[in-house]
Amino acid sequence: MSKISSEALLAAVVENSDDAIVSKTLDGVVMSWNRGAERLFGWTADEMIGQSIRKLIPDDRQAEEDAIIRQIVAGRQVSSMHSVRVRKTGAPVRVSVTISPIRGADGTIIGASKIARDVGALEHARQQLAESERRFKTLADNISQLAWIADKEGWIFWYNQRWFEYTGTTLKDMEGWGWKAVHHPDHVDRVVERVQRSWDTGELWEDTFPLRGKDGTYRWFLSRARPIHDENGEIFCWFGTNTDVTEQRVQAESIQTLLQEVNHRSKNMLTLIQSLARRSAPGNDEFLKRFVRRLEALAANQDLLVRRAWTVVDLRELVEAQLSFAIGIAGSNLEFDGPDVEIGSRAAETLGMALHELATNALKYGALSAEGGTVRIEWSVAEDRFAIDWHETGGPAVEEPTRVGFGTSVIRDIPRTALDADTTLDFAPDGLRWHFAAPMKAVAGKSV
């Protein structure tokens, strides 16, 4: 293989470069024009050699060429200048240009070499990135929540402006685990333990705790963080927010205080009604006993609903509250079981009174009035319907009463009307049976 001269090798490199490589005299006349220049600008070497380089420069940028020539004559290189040039078609093209002086054998500057690269796509990508960054910053810094981002290990490396405005801190103060400094000392250990569990397991994180503001006071925040996954499903960062819920907590406490006060006054009224009943029906001890028991059932329901802010009640808790007097007498002979179910306040009032009435009757006339008698209570939820059954066994033989009293209305009729329910009261000889079934949405709904 014959040796290739350095001059030939250099010429081959220049000619086959993807970049436009051009040489020109100091007055701007093109002396060489490679294939990269043809591809970038559209003119062939024959069309450009001997022509002025200013042919590529837009009218409003002609002063750039004057500045370039001054720097070249001074022996300085023009490095990575971003500008606009014109293609043969007249279309503009964004280019990155590097220009260096060309020296003769005696060291005199006789011209300049220019390397140009199309950076239109790169500039577009940079503009999109800058716009995306601007939008993100606008959104992140103007939401009402404090926000932050942590790596997959839980090291926090970014906070929004709201965080710094509230805490009066800097990123240097807060980076990593620095956020512990603004947590209340009574809560910080608990918070660290719970959030670390999420970092370790990938579970969503939610917690409520106080954070110290720049004025030194603490406010309560509901805080959440969720993992962000990459295309392979792996966690690569966490995004979290802290929402100020101080006012909501104050309002909730005020409502709870008000409910407790209303409950206290209502129970005082029930006590007054009991006293009036005793004075109005002297000598009717059986009536008074049942009447007082019903008032106590109402009071028990009310206590339970107040503890739950008059929203929803756990059914098991309701059964235990309403039947506590019967459980104390019957012990293990009164059993109940079913799934965890929360019911609305209206259903709690209606079912609570029905269960209380059934238990009272069972102790007086039914299965719990005899040794060995049992009561079994079971409830279930299937296909959006709720059902509860009361089944007595082992008691005296059952006979259907000849008169329908208030107790029967509480057990059978009121649930039908109040909860759109199907109820049956079966006076089977071997033991009373009561069945209640209603749409789950009626049972779970909140009363207005």
Side-chain angles (χ1 to χ4, degrees):
M1 180 179 295
S2 60
K3 290 186 178 180
I4 301 175
S5 67
S6 58
E7 291 82 0
L9 181 60
L10 178 60
V13 170
V14 170
E15 187 62 20
N16 291 283
S17 172
D18 287 335
D19 294 332
I21 301 177
V22 178
S23 64
K24 63 182 180 179
T25 63
L26 291 178
D27 57 3
V29 175
V30 176
M31 296 187 295
S32 66
W33 187 266
N34 74 339
R35 290 177 186 174
E38 290 183 356
R39 288 191 294 270
L40 181 57
F41 297 113
W43 281 286
T44 65
D46 290 341
E47 290 174 318
M48 284 303 299
I49 293 175
Q51 300 295 317
S52 174
I53 196 70
R54 291 180 183 271
K55 196 172 183 178
L56 307 177
I57 303 174
D59 291 341
D60 61 348
R61 290 181 177 264
Q62 288 293 326
E64 284 183 6
E65 180 66 10
D66 297 331
I68 289 170
I69 294 300
R70 286 196 296 271
Q71 291 196 62
I72 293 300
V73 170
R76 295 193 295 270
Q77 178 178 312
V78 179
S79 180
S80 299
M81 179 184 77
H82 283 229
S83 188
V84 177
R85 294 295 181 258
V86 180
R87 289 189 169 105
K88 183 178 180 179
T89 61
V93 56
R94 296 194 65 83
V95 293
S96 173
V97 181
T98 300
I99 305 169
S100 303
I102 299 175
R103 298 179 184 272
D106 60 356
T108 304
I109 296 174
I110 59 174
S113 65
K114 176 168 71 175
I115 301 175
R117 176 174 296 176
D118 185 351
V119 294
L122 178 60
E123 284 294 310
H124 181 64
R126 285 177 176 172
Q127 289 173 4
Q128 286 187 315
L129 181 61
E131 178 63 15
S132 177
E133 176 71 17
R134 184 186 68 80
R135 289 177 180 174
F136 171 75
K137 186 174 179 58
T138 299
L139 173 65
D141 287 341
N142 289 281
I143 59 175
S144 58
Q145 292 97 338
L146 316 183
W148 44 269
I149 300 175
D151 66 17
K152 64 180 181 180
E153 305 295 336
W155 180 271
I156 300 181
F157 59 85
W158 175 88
Y159 293 88
N160 70 343
Q161 190 59 32
R162 293 282 188 193
W163 175 278
F164 298 125
E165 289 172 356
Y166 173 72
T167 61
T169 60
T170 65
L171 179 59
K172 184 178 180 181
D173 299 328
M174 296 288 101
E175 196 172 19
W177 291 82
W179 50 266
K180 292 193 293 184
V182 297
H183 275 250
H184 195 285
D186 293 346
H187 298 266
V188 64
D189 290 341
R190 170 183 61 83
V191 173
V192 169
E193 180 182 355
R194 292 186 62 176
V195 76
Q196 184 62 57
R197 185 163 65 247
S198 289
W199 300 153
D200 294 339
T201 64
E203 298 173 356
L204 295 176
W205 174 68
E206 181 174 314
D207 203 351
T208 304
F209 45 76
L211 290 174
R212 188 182 68 239
K214 60 185 177 183
D215 60 356
T217 61
Y218 286 89
R219 295 183 66 84
W220 282 87
F221 287 82
L222 171 62
S223 303
R224 297 187 175 102
R226 64 172 50 252
I228 309 300
H229 298 83
D230 60 20
E231 61 276 8
N232 298 318
E234 299 293 329
I235 296 174
F236 73 92
C237 73
W238 289 77
F239 179 74
T241 58
N242 308 87
T243 304
D244 191 335
V245 293
T246 306
E247 277 73 25
Q248 291 91 320
R249 285 177 63 89
V250 171
Q251 290 170 1
E253 290 171 359
S254 297
I255 291 171
Q256 184 65 23
T257 300
L258 179 61
L259 285 173
Q260 289 173 351
E261 178 62 22
V262 170
N263 185 40
H264 175 70
R265 294 185 181 221
S266 298
K267 291 173 77 173
N268 285 344
M269 184 64 70
L270 292 176
T271 301
L272 178 60
I273 292 172
Q274 290 181 28
S275 177
L276 289 173
R278 289 190 178 95
R279 294 189 180 190
S280 301
N284 196 338
D285 294 340
E286 186 60 31
F287 163 77
L288 287 173
K289 185 184 295 184
R290 292 184 69 93
F291 183 71
V292 169
R293 279 281 177 82
R294 285 166 178 160
L295 289 179
E296 290 172 347
L298 283 173
N301 257 356
Q302 189 164 285
D303 283 339
L304 188 57
L305 287 168
V306 167
R307 288 200 302 271
R308 292 300 189 96
W310 217 263
T311 53
V312 293
V313 173
D314 179 78
L315 181 60
R316 190 179 304 275
E317 190 177 356
L318 175 70
V319 172
E320 290 174 345
Q322 284 296 345
L323 303 187
S324 60
F325 74 98
I327 294 171
I329 297 173
S332 61
N333 290 340
L334 197 164
E335 301 177 344
F336 51 90
D337 190 34
D340 292 336
V341 178
E342 288 189 330
I343 62 176
S345 56
R346 187 176 187 181
E349 291 176 300
T350 304
L351 290 176
M353 290 298 296
L355 291 170
H356 185 276
E357 199 68 28
L358 285 164
T360 299
N361 289 337
L363 284 169
K364 186 173 182 181
Y365 309 111
L368 299 183
S369 67
E371 186 175 352
T374 62
V375 172
R376 176 75 178 172
I377 307 167
E378 294 181 301
W379 60 88
S380 61
V381 178
E383 297 182 355
D384 297 325
R385 285 188 68 79
F386 170 81
I388 185 169
D389 289 278
W390 176 288
H391 186 196
E392 299 184 22
T393 56
V398 176
E399 296 182 3
E400 186 170 354
T402 57
R403 184 179 65 86
V404 176
F406 177 72
T408 302
S409 296
V410 170
I411 296 168
R412 184 183 62 193
D413 302 331
I414 293 177
R416 288 176 181 173
T417 304
L419 300 172
D420 190 25
D422 298 323
T423 60
T424 57
L425 190 58
D426 182 8
F427 294 93
D430 61 339
L432 178 76
R433 298 186 180 186
W434 174 71
H435 175 75
F436 169 97
M440 191 62 211
K441 63 181 180 180
V443 174
K446 299 176 185 178
S447 61
V448 178

